[in-house]
Amino acid sequence: SSELTQDPAVSVALGQTVRITCQGDSLRTFYAGWYQQKPGQAPVLVIYGKNNRPSGIPDRFSGSRSGNTTSLTITGAQAEDEADYYCNSRDSSGNPGVFGGGTKLTVL
Amino acid sequence: QVQLVESGGGVVQPGRSLRLSCAASGFTFSNHGMHWVRQAPGKGLEWVAVIWYDGNYKNYADSVKGRFTISRDNSKNTLYLQMNSLRAEDTAVYYCARDLGSGWMYYFDYWGQGMLVTVSS
């Protein structure tokens, strides 16, 4: 079982704002990365660190942290944002390479 | 542009071996750490292994430690994953992924297209 916990599924109305969360004790200390994966495709890094977006990622994607929870916020969700989203960071012992279980985002 | 192209996957019997390759282009390969990440059918992502930019540090997930070996050839811009003693639970799509830094960041900013490995008798 993963030490990073994500809600299995979240939905959002087109154009509205959605927050996808990732919980874990390690997140009080370490930042996370967020990945978007569409069916049949490789994941894409959308947010890393405190709140950094790789080149080419729309600015409607942002990241934040509060306590043991890190969040990915999509402000003004688009149809093309429908995908699985995964967080990654460290486990409670500081070992890297841990992924959350993933959240399936549906845009209504 | 950055490209990562995996090869070497396929169907293999339990207990046998397989070697995956990942050919990199479009960036200075020797500046970046590299990882293997896998995804079992219908499941989430699982980190498998990392090798630092110079090959001097390697680390593995507990699930593959002692069976898998990651390596790289910076003169050929190629990453490898030698998989021995394969088990049914190793069945997955295997991705090579670039570390945002020299190997310690564990943020994966570019991914290959993925290579399916099926372990079955």
Side-chain angles (χ1 to χ4, degrees):
Chain A
S1 64
S2 174
E3 294 194 34
L4 299 178
T5 302
Q6 298 183 240
D7 292 327
V10 171
S11 62
V12 61
L14 185 67
Q16 296 303 301
T17 296
V18 62
R19 179 172 294 178
I20 300 169
T21 62
C22 176
Q23 288 188 303
D25 287 342
S26 64
L27 298 178
R28 297 182 185 276
T29 305
F30 302 105
Y31 288 108
W34 285 96
Y35 302 84
Q36 175 193 71
Q37 186 180 33
K38 297 179 180 179
Q41 297 184 20
V44 174
L45 179 66
V46 294
I47 290 289
Y48 66 94
K50 191 173 183 180
N51 182 21
N52 301 295
R53 274 180 292 108
S55 173
I57 301 302
D59 61 6
R60 63 178 180 272
F61 290 89
S62 63
S64 61
R65 183 176 72 176
S66 177
N68 72 338
T69 300
T70 189
S71 301
L72 172 69
T73 299
I74 307 174
T75 303
Q78 302 299 302
E80 60 264 32
D81 299 334
E82 186 163 288
D84 293 329
Y85 289 85
Y86 295 90
C87 61
N88 88 299
S89 188
R90 296 173 183 260
D91 66 16
S92 55
S93 299
N95 298 310
V98 178
F99 282 96
T103 297
K104 183 177 182 59
L105 175 67
T106 300
V107 179
L108 304 171
Chain B
Q1 73 282 18
V2 173
Q3 279 197 310
L4 299 171
V5 179
E6 297 102 337
S7 60
V11 180
V12 61
Q13 293 179 329
R16 304 297 292 265
S17 299
L18 202 63
R19 189 176 84 155
L20 301 182
S21 299
C22 171
S25 61
F27 68 102
T28 304
F29 184 66
S30 58
N31 283 353
H32 286 266
M34 296 295 297
H35 302 259
W36 289 99
V37 177
R38 68 185 181 183
Q39 187 170 35
K43 302 296 185 182
L45 300 172
E46 179 188 15
W47 173 79
V48 173
V50 62
I51 185 168
W52 279 30
Y53 68 105
D54 57 1
N56 286 337
Y57 176 80
K58 306 173 186 181
N59 194 20
Y60 301 90
D62 287 344
S63 58
V64 307
K65 201 170 290 184
R67 300 188 299 122
F68 289 12
T69 301
I70 189 171
S71 61
R72 66 191 294 159
D73 186 337
N74 284 348
S75 68
K76 296 182 178 179
N77 290 345
T78 302
L79 174 73
Y80 303 100
L81 185 68
Q82 177 67 41
M83 303 184 291
N84 298 333
S85 303
L86 282 161
R87 306 167 180 168
E89 54 264 37
D90 296 318
T91 294
V93 172
Y94 285 74
Y95 296 98
C96 64
R98 190 181 83 165
D99 191 278
L100 197 60
S102 57
W104 60 273
M105 294 192 74
Y106 286 77
Y107 296 134
F108 317 116
D109 62 345
Y110 286 95
W111 298 63
Q113 83 283 2
M115 181 61 56
L116 179 61
V117 172
T118 303
V119 184
S120 173
S121 55

